[in-house]
Amino acid sequence: MALFSFAAHADAKDGRLKFDIPAQPLAFALDAYATGTGIETFYDSESTQGRRSTAVKGVLAADVALRILLEGTGLAEVSSGNAFAVVASPGKAQYGGARLSEFGSYYSVLQAGVAQAFCRHAETVPGDFRAIIRFSIGSLGELQDFRLLNSTGDLRRDAIIVDELRDVNFDTPPPRLPQPVTMMVAPRPAERTGDCDVAPGRQTTRARAVRP
């Protein structure tokens, strides 16, 4: 279980947040960061094994906080639009000959497709539940081997998520894309994030973490 605490709002006019993430296994710390900030964070789960984060405490900009969290791990953050990819620092080993930063635009495609599915029903609009999904993308962009890895606490909502996402199609994946992809939609107050519009069918959302 990740150990963290967060203020539920920005503490400064420039959008900085109050962080309090103890040092811990890196994967847990990254999940805590993604949950608390609402910023999509992409990383290769293999790269986090055996690594520990640096503690992050204070009122900081999101990118600065992530940089501190990764200190001493041999990994670095790369901005990918409205998300971050965590990649090997320059000169470090690569994943399958490729860096996760190469796939930032495609992760945005995955994010948008999953967002549309979650925002299609009132029951699945992100809020007080956590959903962890795993899937692969076929050569034509079809979703394959989809699994909901946890229960959201509502069997009807679980069934809707499975039904909706099994029909999602994406653009053709780039070569060397690390697969399968694991995505976490973390609990967060809808009134704070504005993830989805009010009217069903016109909604957009942002998933919180994606991990090959």
Side-chain angles (χ1 to χ4, degrees), residues 70-143:
L70 293 171
E71 283 182 356
T73 65
L75 303 175
E77 87 290 347
V78 175
S79 178
S80 175
N82 61 348
F84 286 112
V86 176
V87 303
S89 297
K92 300 294 182 180
Q94 299 179 359
Y95 181 94
R99 295 188 183 277
L100 292 185
S101 55
E102 293 182 27
F103 309 110
S105 61
Y106 192 74
Y107 286 140
S108 295
V109 171
L110 300 184
Q111 173 186 319
V114 171
Q116 185 177 14
F118 269 86
C119 280
R120 197 169 289 142
H121 293 271
E123 295 95 326
T124 58
V125 170
D128 61 356
F129 67 90
R130 182 186 307 273
I132 305 174
I133 59 176
R134 179 174 294 164
F135 56 89
S136 297
I137 304 105
S139 60
L140 300 178
E142 71 277 18
L143 188 146

Side-chain angles (χ1 to χ4, degrees), residues 47-187:
S47 72
T48 66
Q49 294 179 5
R51 288 185 163 99
R52 289 185 63 83
S53 69
T54 295
V56 183
K57 189 177 182 66
V59 179
L60 303 162
D63 60 334
V64 174
L66 183 56
R67 199 170 303 136
I68 293 171
L69 186 149
L70 293 171
E71 283 182 356
T73 65
L75 303 175
E77 87 290 347
V78 175
S79 178
S80 175
N82 61 348
F84 286 112
V86 176
V87 303
S89 297
K92 300 294 182 180
Q94 299 179 359
Y95 181 94
R99 295 188 183 277
L100 292 185
S101 55
E102 293 182 27
F103 309 110
S105 61
Y106 192 74
Y107 286 140
S108 295
V109 171
L110 300 184
Q111 173 186 319
V114 171
Q116 185 177 14
F118 269 86
C119 280
R120 197 169 289 142
H121 293 271
E123 295 95 326
T124 58
V125 170
D128 61 356
F129 67 90
R130 182 186 307 273
I132 305 174
I133 59 176
R134 179 174 294 164
F135 56 89
S136 297
I137 304 105
S139 60
L140 300 178
E142 71 277 18
L143 188 146
Q144 299 178 338
D145 302 323
F146 173 79
R147 293 181 60 196
L148 177 64
L149 299 183
N150 69 312
S151 173
T152 65
D154 184 317
L155 294 180
R156 172 177 165 78
R157 180 166 54 210
D158 293 350
I160 292 173
I161 290 172
V162 171
D163 288 344
E164 288 293 336
L165 287 174
R166 278 181 173 162
D167 293 331
V168 170
N169 282 279
F170 303 105
D171 293 342
T172 301
R176 303 188 299 175
L177 178 75
Q179 298 203 55
V181 171
T182 304
M183 178 178 291
M184 179 181 71
V185 178

